Amino acid sequence: MRVLTVISLLFCGCFIGITNSKYVSGHLKSAENWVFLTRFCFLSEIGKIRFKLSYPQTYEVQNILMYFDSPGQWEAVYKNDSKGLNLKYEIWMTNGEPGDLFFEHFSADEFYILQVDMAFLFAHLFLLGLSLYFSYVLADRQLFHTTYKMYLAALSCEVFSLIIMCCAYGVYAQSGVENRAAKYIGRVFESGGVLTFELMLILLAKGYTVTRGRLSQSGTIKVTVFMTAYIIIYVVLFIYEAFFFDPGLVLYTYESVPGYGLIVLRILAWIWFTVSVFFTLKHYQEKGKFYFPFYIFYTIWFWAGPIIILVAMTQMKPWVREKVVNGVENCVIFCGYLFFIILTRPSAANNNFPFHVRTAQIAIVNDQALADFPSNPYSDAPSRPNFTDLFVVSDNGGNPIPQRTAAVNIDAFPHEKESDIFDHFTVAPPAS
């Protein structure tokens, strides 16, 4: 007798399980006698299942088996010997009354994911609008630095990710048919946002756009190598999950070698972040008002992800893991963006504002000159840079001495770096 496990109905307490979708269908042809199709978490006394099977008479009799999620039962039957199946199948699984948008088609472990994603979408849209306004203010004062642009790009990726995920789950709520491609695209945007945000944090920790105008050559190579490794492991994780994950055994994305690799890289990123903040504060102690809260909060932020993953894999029950982790991860990401915009808000009362050099100045002065610029609060800066102040000196009484105007030909210093051009400027005597 050929035996078919059409679904694994994991019943324990509130019928435990992980679903692919409410409705699954296809044409199964396999040399195996026993094949896993899907999981679903049913609510007691509410969950329902209907199915329709058809197969050639020569393949009779093929049976449908359902398994509880009791200890040892699933492991005892999964991947035992069998030798062939050929049938078409359609399966409907529900957890609510018809028309119940947020519950009917969802597995119990997926409850509230759509609502949580929608709530965080609106929250991130608010942050994006506020960030765009701050960007306009910073650009007007020529303080819209590269690091802030990276923050804006990361936040935009997160917004796009939530929009795609909400659309995917919204369609699923109406039809019960899962769109895996849309979910993968949403996760790609989310991963891109997280990577950009982590890179921005490391650059700020190194003092980029705060105490230095450019990275050293070795620093640039290190950043490039690290981020390339990060991206490669993310790509491997997606490919591994799409083509090699066994849905009958793997319940969580990080239960794989690439998932463990992401955890290790995040911890390494925190170590690099810590070392960078230490050396920046060692040389520029006046920036402590920005870097102390910056380091403390984002240390928690870096570690929150690995801790959540560890708790999910070791302490959470399978039927609560997905929805809880989704909510906590969204909360951690949102708090990271929110704290940054609070810490760097360009307001008169903010002494933590990190950028004290104009974007027009940061490209033409060397790092030492950049560090010597007064780190005044944002409110003390004029709305537009006064470039003439760069070429004005004062007499002993503090009064400006009028200077002659001269044009400088940069080509006159062909062997000098752009940042060292200021070393060649001399002050001409006042006109008689």
Side-chain angles (χ1 to χ4, degrees):
M1 179 184 297
R2 294 184 176 88
V3 179
L4 166 68
T5 295
V6 177
I7 61 175
S8 165
L9 297 180
L10 307 182
F11 304 154
C12 181
C14 143
F15 290 54
I16 311 166
I18 307 295
T19 182
N20 286 326
S21 67
K22 175 258 179 176
Y23 172 78
V24 293
S25 64
H27 185 181
L28 175 65
K29 297 189 69 173
S30 172
E32 302 294 330
N33 255 12
W34 194 102
V35 176
F36 168 85
L37 286 186
T38 188
R39 294 172 179 261
F40 195 79
C41 179
F42 289 92
L43 292 178
S44 301
E45 301 180 0
I46 298 179
K48 299 178 181 179
I49 178 173
R50 295 186 297 116
F51 56 89
K52 176 181 177 182
L53 304 177
S54 61
Y55 52 84
Q57 186 174 1
T58 55
Y59 276 78
E60 64 180 3
V61 174
Q62 298 181 119
N63 295 339
I64 175 172
L65 303 180
M66 305 180 186
Y67 294 91
F68 291 90
D69 194 24
S70 57
Q73 184 177 127
W74 180 245
E75 292 81 0
V77 298
Y78 187 64
K79 287 199 170 181
N80 283 342
D81 293 337
S82 51
K83 295 182 179 179
L85 290 167
N86 185 350
L87 80 160
K88 296 179 180 179
Y89 62 91
E90 293 181 84
I91 306 173
W92 295 262
M93 295 164 284
T94 60
N95 261 329
E97 298 300 325
D100 191 343
L101 184 64
F102 293 111
F103 297 101
E104 179 187 4
H105 297 163
F106 287 95
S107 172
D109 62 316
E110 295 179 319
F111 283 0
Y112 306 110
I113 288 181
L114 176 57
Q115 296 94 314
V116 168
D117 284 356
M118 290 173 63
F120 278 104
L121 173 59
F122 290 123
H124 281 86
L125 283 172
F126 171 77
L127 276 187
L128 181 60
L130 191 60
S131 301
L132 289 172
Y133 169 73
F134 285 171
S135 299
Y136 170 78
V137 175
L138 294 175
D140 185 61
R141 298 194 172 218
Q142 296 201 3
L143 292 170
F144 189 34
H145 288 289
T146 301
T147 44
Y148 206 91
K149 294 175 183 177
M150 294 175 66
Y151 167 77
L152 197 60
L155 181 56
S156 299
C157 284
E158 183 63 25
V159 169
F160 283 127
S161 169
L162 288 171
I163 290 175
I164 294 172
M165 296 301 284
C166 286
C167 290
Y169 276 107
V171 172
Y172 177 60
Q174 291 182 330
S175 65
V177 179
E178 185 182 38
N179 189 334
R180 288 181 175 269
K183 288 185 177 180
Y184 277 123
I185 294 173
R187 288 178 56 194
V188 167
F189 272 103
E190 180 187 11
S191 302
V194 171
L195 285 173
T196 304
F197 193 71
E198 287 187 8
L199 176 59
M200 181 208 70
L201 292 178
I202 293 175
L203 292 178
L204 283 174
K206 294 174 71 68
Y208 179 61
T209 70
V210 179
T211 63
R212 61 167 68 184
R214 56 180 59 84
L215 295 178
S216 64
Q217 184 176 4
S218 61
T220 301
I221 294 175
K222 292 177 183 176
V223 169
T224 303
V225 171
F226 183 79
M227 295 310 298
T228 301
Y230 225 141
I231 293 172
I232 289 175
I233 291 184
Y234 258 114
V235 172
V236 171
L237 175 64
F238 285 135
I239 295 176
Y240 186 87
E241 182 177 352
F243 297 102
F244 300 104
F245 267 15
D246 187 341
L249 295 176
V250 179
L251 303 180
Y252 193 56
T253 299
Y254 288 94
E255 293 179 347
S256 64
V257 174
Y260 301 146
L262 288 180
I263 297 174
V264 171
L265 280 179
R266 192 175 180 94
I267 295 175
L268 290 177
W270 171 78
I271 294 174
W272 193 5
F273 173 78
T274 299
V275 173
S276 299
V277 170
F278 172 79
F279 282 105
T280 299
L281 282 176
K282 180 179 179 181
H283 295 97
Y284 306 99
Q285 298 181 8
E286 68 276 6
K287 283 296 182 180
K289 290 184 178 180
F290 168 74
Y291 276 108
F292 283 123
F294 175 75
Y295 174 74
I296 293 172
F297 180 85
Y298 285 109
T299 289
I300 299 174
W301 186 87
F302 269 108
W303 277 96
I307 290 174
I308 292 170
I309 293 169
L310 180 63
V311 171
M313 290 191 298
T314 60
Q315 302 298 322
M316 292 184 185
K317 300 297 184 181
W319 63 92
V320 300
R321 184 179 300 171
E322 185 173 0
K323 58 188 176 185
V324 171
V325 170
N326 177 73
V328 175
E329 285 186 337
N330 272 310
C331 184
V332 169
I333 292 173
F334 175 77
C335 288
Y337 291 127
L338 177 63
F339 185 79
F340 182 83
I341 202 172
I342 292 174
L343 189 63
T344 61
R345 67 194 186 280
S347 65
N350 179 24
N351 293 324
N352 295 326
F353 190 72
F355 310 124
H356 61 274
V357 179
R358 310 289 181 182
T359 53
Q361 295 166 335
I362 200 170
I364 59 175
V365 297
N366 58 30
D367 289 346
Q368 182 58 47
L370 175 61
D372 292 339
F373 271 78
S375 55
N376 295 327
Y378 173 82
S379 59
D380 295 341
S383 60
R384 293 291 183 184
N386 185 0
F387 294 105
T388 60
D389 289 345
L390 295 175
F391 307 98
V392 174
V393 297
S394 301
D395 58 17
N396 293 334
N399 299 315
I401 298 177
Q403 302 295 311
R404 292 176 176 171
T405 302
V408 179
N409 182 3
I410 297 180
D411 295 335
F413 313 105
H415 301 294
E416 300 291 340
K417 293 188 292 185
E418 184 179 5
S419 60
D420 297 328
I421 292 176
F422 277 173
D423 297 338
H424 295 277
F425 283 115
T426 58
V427 178
S432 56

